[in-house]
Every structure is written in C-alpha cells, then in structure tokens.
Amino acid sequence: MPHIRGKRMLYVIIILIASIWLSSCAASGNGQTSGSPAPADSGPSGTHQDQEPAHDDEPDTEDPSAEPDQDQGQDTDDANSEADAPGDVDPSDHTVGEAEGQTDYEAIRARYDISDPDSIAVLVNKTYGLPADYEPDDLVKVAIPFVYQDETVHSLRQIAADALIEMFAAAKEDGLELAGVSGYRSYAIQKMLYEKYVARDGEEAANKYSAKPGHSEHSTGLAMDVAGISGKCAANNCFAGTPEALWLAEHAHEYGFIIRYPLGKEDITGYQYEPWHLRYVGTELAAILYENDWTMEEFFLNET
Ligand code: DAL
Ligand code: ZN
C-alpha cells in the first residue's frame, strides 16, 4: 500500500507541475485576457483599454484654442468663444475686440445722417449749415419755466421737448429748479441776434459765441439754453461752476442731451465754452459722447 500511495503522490506532483507550467505560458504569451495592465496600443481586440485613446481625442475638438481656426469670421457668437479663450485674444483683431464688448462706433455712425436737417444727429457748425428756409415741422412750445417771456424762442422739436421736460423734472427731484432761456430760433431771429452782437462786440468776438444765420443749432429745434430758475447768469460765463451747470454736465446725457460746446474743445467746435447750451442727440449718442468726452465733430468727422 505504501508503494501505491507513493505512485499516487508522484502523479499528483506531476499534475501540479504541469498546471503551473501551463499557467506561466499563458501569462507570458497571450496577456490580453489577463488582469495585468495592457499597453494602450495593445491591438485591435476591442477591449475597454483600446477605446480610451479614441475618447481622449475628443477634447481636441472641444479645446477653445482650436475653435478660432475652424470658426473665424463666421458669426459673432463664435467670435465670443474666441475672445473667452485665455491667451487667444489678438488686440489688433477688430472682430475679437468687438466680441469683448467694445462698441462698434463705425456701425453706430452709419445709422445716423448728419446732413439731414430732420435727423437728431444733424451736424450744424461753422462749416455745416441748414437751408435758410428750414423749419422743423414738429415744433412745440415747451412746458417749462422760462427766464424771458418772449415766446418766439420757447419751442423745440417734440422729441427734444419731451426729453427736456423729463430732465427738468429729474433736476427738481435733485433739488435744482431749471429754466429755459432760448430754444428754437428761426433763420430770421438768428440773423437779427448775430448782427446785433457783431455791432456790439465786432465780428471776431461775436463769432466766438454767436452763430451766423443758418449755422445755429438753435435753428434745428434741438437746442435749448438752460439756466437756474433765478435767471442769474443765464447764457453767461458766470453760469459755469454753478450747481445747475454741474448737474447738467453730469446728467444731461441720461436724457439725450450733450453740452455741445465743452471747455477745452473750443478749437474743435469753433465756440467758447457754453455750459448752458444743451443739444438733443438722443440717449445713445449722448451716452457715447459723454463717456468718451467727444464732441459731435470728433465722433462724426474724425473717425474715432
Ligand atoms: N451760441 C451758439 C453758438 C449759437 O449762436 O447758436
Ligand atoms: Zn445756445
């Protein structure tokens, strides 16, 4: 019996050795099915590991830095994506600049007609004038207090009158009562005024504060000279620095008005500083001119 038991033991040992050998062959030759990590390029056998590199490629198409080449010039939204990509913004790229929130002034300029007397953007200065017979067809007497009771200069075009009334109400809320001095002036009235000033101060001096007939903004129906309710310093240099003048400089644009002849821009506008001369241009233009400290000449003629 011990002999037979010894033979069985030998078979068992042989089988064990054979099993170990077979298993070691399998591990070194066809490892795809083993639990050991497979290299990424381990062959087209459809394993999970094989699919991962394809998945890893996807971020390349989602990478914002890849988008500009694909989408350049297609539309604004895509340009926005471009600008958002860190390090991708080229300051010389006009499209990118717009996408960043910069205003497209060229496009805004193109929407206004500075040569149409009926346009709220009509440009009237020493170079650009109005037809002698121009008279707006929507003039209304403005329902505000006036310093002088001569009603011939109490009118404005409807849109400017409405805005002025709103602005006066806002100033009153802030504790400042304003009054009108002079609004729409016909060609004939402007002629009479200009000639009076030339006779009084001489042409050179008059030209610094009074427009020749046909060249006054007052004849557009979009300009109003404004003073404090007392009338003190009305259309006079001493209006500068008053609480009313400071309030107008700060808030007029909110109602579509600009201080048309600002301090320091005399060479551009052709006129002395007139903190009282309010010109209606609408809230869009007024905000642009206010925020950039531009005159109408700078915005419309200098290609800013
Ligand atoms: N005071 C301005 C320039 C005018 O006369 O229209
Ligand atoms: Zn004026």
Side-chain angles (χ1 to χ4, degrees), residues 238-261:
C238 63
F239 183 63
T242 62
E244 290 82 0
L246 298 176
W247 190 95
L248 289 167
E250 186 66 23
H251 296 285
H253 69 282
E254 296 162 20
Y255 305 91
F257 290 93
I258 57 168
I259 305 297
R260 180 66 176 90
Y261 307 118

Side-chain angles (χ1 to χ4, degrees), residues 10-166:
L10 187 61
Y11 289 146
V12 169
I13 288 165
I14 287 168
I15 287 165
L16 272 173
I17 289 168
S19 305
I20 289 165
W21 181 75
L22 279 171
S23 127
S24 99
C25 281
S28 62
N30 303 305
Q32 292 159 0
T33 55
S34 81
S36 60
D41 59 351
S42 57
S45 57
T47 65
H48 179 67
Q49 287 90 341
D50 287 337
Q51 288 167 6
E52 276 190 337
H55 180 73
D56 286 345
D57 282 345
E58 286 175 24
D60 287 345
T61 56
E62 288 174 0
D63 180 357
S65 67
E67 285 193 16
D69 289 339
Q70 296 165 2
D71 299 339
Q72 218 161 30
Q74 283 185 3
D75 62 50
T76 313
D77 287 340
D78 288 344
N80 262 322
S81 306
E82 262 178 64
D84 289 344
D88 268 2
V89 179
D90 174 2
S92 67
D93 185 334
H94 183 62
T95 309
V96 172
E98 283 170 31
E100 277 190 309
Q102 289 181 12
T103 308
D104 184 352
Y105 293 118
E106 193 58 49
I108 293 170
R109 254 192 299 273
R111 284 195 276 106
Y112 292 96
D113 185 353
I114 60 169
S115 62
D116 177 1
D118 287 325
S119 164
I120 58 166
V122 62
L123 182 62
V124 175
N125 57 22
K126 287 182 176 174
T127 306
Y128 297 87
L130 294 163
D133 61 352
Y134 175 71
E135 183 178 329
D137 59 11
D138 60 349
L139 288 172
V140 293
K141 187 180 175 309
V142 192
I144 53 169
F146 277 89
V147 172
Y148 306 114
Q149 301 317 306
D150 177 5
E151 292 197 3
T152 56
V153 293
H154 286 190
S155 298
L156 281 181
R157 289 185 59 191
Q158 184 78 62
I159 193 169
D162 292 345
L164 195 77
I165 289 167
E166 207 188 319

